[in-house]
Amino acid sequence: MKKIIISTLAISALLFTTSCKTDFDTDVKDIAVTNGEANFSKYVALGNSLTSGFRDNALYIDGQNESYPLILSNQMKLAGGGAFKQPMMPNNSGGFSNLANPATGDFYGKIVLGVGCNNALAPKPSAPGAALDNISTGGPYQNLGIPGAKSFHLGLSSYGMLNPYYTRFSTGVSPINAAVSQAPTFFSLWIGNNDVLSYATSGGTGVDQTGNANVTTYGNNDITDPTLYKSVINTYVTALTANGAKGVLANIPNVTSIPFFTTVPSKPISNLTDSQASQLNTAYAPYNAGILQLKSMGVISDAEYQSRVIKFTAGSVANGAVILDKDLKDLTGLNPALKSYRQTTSEDFIILPAANLIKPFDATCNPQGMSAGTAVPLADKYVLTQKETLKVITATKAYNDALKDIAASKGLAYVDANTKMNELGGQSGIVWDGVRYSAKFVTGGAFSLDGVHLTGRGYAIIANEFIKAINAKYKSTLPQVDPNKYSGITFP
């Protein structure tokens, strides 16, 4: 993840609190705690990174100690809940030193805020804490949240050979069988984010596999077929409820509500001088003339011509970044110079790692500035276009429809995590006991430094959503937790 400079003003905003309203809408803290119609004596949680406690682009001890299933299990213990064991990492940095990839940033240690150029704070990756360990003999573990897992991965007996996070504690069976073998009396299942997230975070470089249920043909960044998704979730839930266990399903948030996609403006180029705007327009004049000619010849429509014209305006006007959009009509067969360029619109999402690439040049602090998006087009992988976003949203809706149907058919509790995330992403955010949380990067308090996963406070907010859904379905009275008592962003 690229460096993002955080201003003093932004840091001050983190400290701002208000007391205009609160989120204690269905709190039962003054009511005797009961389990209602549920049995919490053996709780097992299945899911992906969000279930594991992953945050700041790593899995590490402090994050695991504030995972939402652990928060939830602690409240269940007040109503007869049993032990809840997590596959704890061996250190508080995360990552695996023998697997760390400097090219991708995979398996490095957690991102931390450090003092960077001109004494500004900036997120920086830390060194991995240790080599991949193996704690499989320490199980069984009740937190079966596995970073990187997609829906169909939970059913793979070979998954321990594919994902290091599961390799650590796998006993050679699939995650779903590892859960079922413990005969849970209660379970949570929150899986499916990665079935669309990797496509979105890669700027739509994968394939929408809707209609294709053959996962052996899938790439890492592909969108999972919704029909396959519904089938595997139904299989998991059937297995988990076979012994009469009750449980809770959570739906999938729209990925476009998280800071990874909303921090960089969709039209990020502004305050150009007259000279800069003139130079750019002169440079793109041959391109504009070429597509105008193809329009006059009827090769492209007027709408496509208008979408491809590149024009920069000086002053405070927000200009779209020039991108290479693979979904535009390929004109290079007619003229090799007419590549698939256009400028971003308000319907596009520029991802967080592109932030520095499009900042103004600064020889000391930002030597890469303005290297993309103006004279040099921004690569396709840095932009989730409107067309790609529609694919993500369509698949997410299909997943959520399936989850809601399955929860209803099995008589299970259902968490609308998507609505809660949308509230966080809204202009007013969420207020808890006088403290406001939002999806604003760093200063919003709910999301960690990777812009995708939550802070401890964010996970506590989600844990309360699970508690509300469980209480409503099973007539239990589990008390909610106070998110303000959990950790947020750590400043140096």
Side-chain angles (χ1 to χ4, degrees), residues 13-15 55 259 424 435-448 453-459 461 483 486-489 491:
L14 180 64
L15 307 177
R55 67 190 197 195
L424 275 172
V435 177
R436 187 180 298 280
Y437 295 97
S438 74
K440 189 172 179 59
F441 186 55
V442 179
T443 57
F447 283 85
S448 72
H453 300 90
L454 299 166
T455 61
R457 292 181 167 197
Y459 281 122
I461 290 170
Y486 293 80
S487 64
I489 298 293
F491 287 80

Side-chain angles (χ1 to χ4, degrees), residues 316-336:
S316 59
V317 174
N319 296 279
V322 178
I323 63 171
L324 186 61
D325 185 348
K326 66 180 185 306
D327 289 324
L328 292 176
K329 180 181 290 186
D330 184 2
L331 303 176
T332 56
L334 300 171
N335 183 342

Side-chain angles (χ1 to χ4, degrees), residues 123-196:
K124 299 176 179 178
S126 58
L132 178 65
D133 57 344
N134 191 303
I135 55 173
S136 57
T137 59
Y141 297 99
Q142 285 75 56
N143 188 334
L144 295 169
I146 307 164
K150 297 186 178 185
S151 60
F152 53 89
H153 289 154
L154 298 188
L156 298 179
S157 59
S158 61
Y159 197 48
M161 298 165 54
L162 303 176
N163 186 328
Y165 287 108
Y166 191 47
T167 301
R168 299 183 63 238
F169 63 96
S170 171
T171 57
V173 301
S174 66
I176 186 65
N177 283 340
V180 171
S181 65
Q182 296 185 54
T185 61
F186 198 90
F187 68 89
S188 62
L189 179 62
W190 193 15
I191 189 74
N193 305 68
N194 290 324
D195 294 69
V196 288

Side-chain angles (χ1 to χ4, degrees), residues 414-468:
Y414 179 73
V415 178
D416 190 353
N418 186 29
T419 293
K420 182 55 63 174
M421 291 294 189
N422 284 335
E423 289 178 23
L424 275 172
Q427 197 164 20
S428 59
I430 293 171
V431 176
W432 192 284
D433 198 20
V435 177
R436 187 180 298 280
Y437 295 97
S438 74
K440 189 172 179 59
F441 186 55
V442 179
T443 57
F447 283 85
S448 72
L449 294 172
D450 58 33
V452 173
H453 300 90
L454 299 166
T455 61
R457 292 181 167 197
Y459 281 122
I461 290 170
I462 286 298
N464 281 342
E465 295 306 301
F466 276 80
I467 288 171
K468 292 176 190 176

Side-chain angles (χ1 to χ4, degrees), residues 6-336:
I6 302 159
S7 70
T8 302
L9 178 62
I11 294 171
S12 299
L14 180 64
L15 307 177
F16 174 75
T17 61
T18 180
S19 59
C20 59
K21 62 178 183 177
T22 182
D23 202 37
F24 283 102
D25 49 346
T26 56
D27 189 24
V28 292
K29 64 180 180 180
D30 296 325
I31 300 175
V33 180
T34 63
N35 60 301
E37 299 171 352
N39 178 352
F40 301 126
S41 60
K42 173 67 77 173
Y43 165 49
V44 173
L46 284 108
N48 50 37
S49 53
L50 292 170
T51 296
S52 71
F54 194 99
R55 67 190 197 195
D56 300 320
N57 206 36
L59 188 66
Y60 58 96
I61 291 174
D62 282 356
Q64 290 178 290
N65 282 334
E66 294 184 329
S67 71
Y68 84 81
L70 183 61
I71 296 172
L72 189 54
S73 71
N74 286 335
Q75 301 309 95
M76 289 177 175
K77 287 176 182 174
L78 302 174
F84 188 81
K85 192 172 186 179
Q86 302 191 107
M88 299 300 292
M89 292 288 284
N91 54 68
N92 212 24
S93 295
F96 301 121
S97 57
N98 57 328
L99 300 177
N101 185 336
T104 63
D106 293 339
F107 303 115
Y108 265 72
K110 64 184 177 184
I111 299 172
V112 296
L113 275 181
V115 178
C117 191
N118 289 337
N119 293 320
L121 292 178
K124 299 176 179 178
S126 58
L132 178 65
D133 57 344
N134 191 303
I135 55 173
S136 57
T137 59
Y141 297 99
Q142 285 75 56
N143 188 334
L144 295 169
I146 307 164
K150 297 186 178 185
S151 60
F152 53 89
H153 289 154
L154 298 188
L156 298 179
S157 59
S158 61
Y159 197 48
M161 298 165 54
L162 303 176
N163 186 328
Y165 287 108
Y166 191 47
T167 301
R168 299 183 63 238
F169 63 96
S170 171
T171 57
V173 301
S174 66
I176 186 65
N177 283 340
V180 171
S181 65
Q182 296 185 54
T185 61
F186 198 90
F187 68 89
S188 62
L189 179 62
W190 193 15
I191 189 74
N193 305 68
N194 290 324
D195 294 69
V196 288
L197 182 63
S198 57
Y199 175 88
T201 56
S202 69
T205 59
V207 175
D208 181 0
Q209 295 287 2
T210 297
N212 177 18
N214 183 4
V215 298
T216 63
T217 64
Y218 284 19
N220 289 336
N221 297 329
D222 291 356
I223 295 175
T224 302
D225 174 34
T227 301
L228 170 69
Y229 178 83
K230 184 173 185 177
S231 175
V232 296
I233 297 298
N234 192 59
T235 299
Y236 301 157
V237 172
T238 298
L240 288 163
T241 56
N243 69 346
K246 301 184 185 303
V248 55
L249 306 185
N251 70 6
I252 310 304
N254 286 327
V255 298
T256 50
S257 65
I258 62 179
F260 192 84
F261 296 97
T262 59
T263 299
V264 180
S266 57
K267 293 184 177 180
I269 312 296
S270 60
N271 297 319
L272 294 174
T273 65
D274 289 338
S275 175
Q276 288 172 324
S278 177
Q279 288 178 22
L280 287 168
N281 289 331
T282 298
Y284 283 105
Y287 173 80
N288 289 339
I291 57 173
L292 177 60
Q293 183 181 29
L294 292 184
K295 181 191 123 178
S296 66
M297 296 167 60
V299 176
I300 61 174
S301 66
D302 179 66
E304 180 161 4
Y305 165 74
Q306 296 295 341
S307 72
R308 298 178 75 138
V309 169
I310 295 174
K311 180 181 179 182
F312 286 94
T313 303
S316 59
V317 174
N319 296 279
V322 178
I323 63 171
L324 186 61
D325 185 348
K326 66 180 185 306
D327 289 324
L328 292 176
K329 180 181 290 186
D330 184 2
L331 303 176
T332 56
L334 300 171
N335 183 342

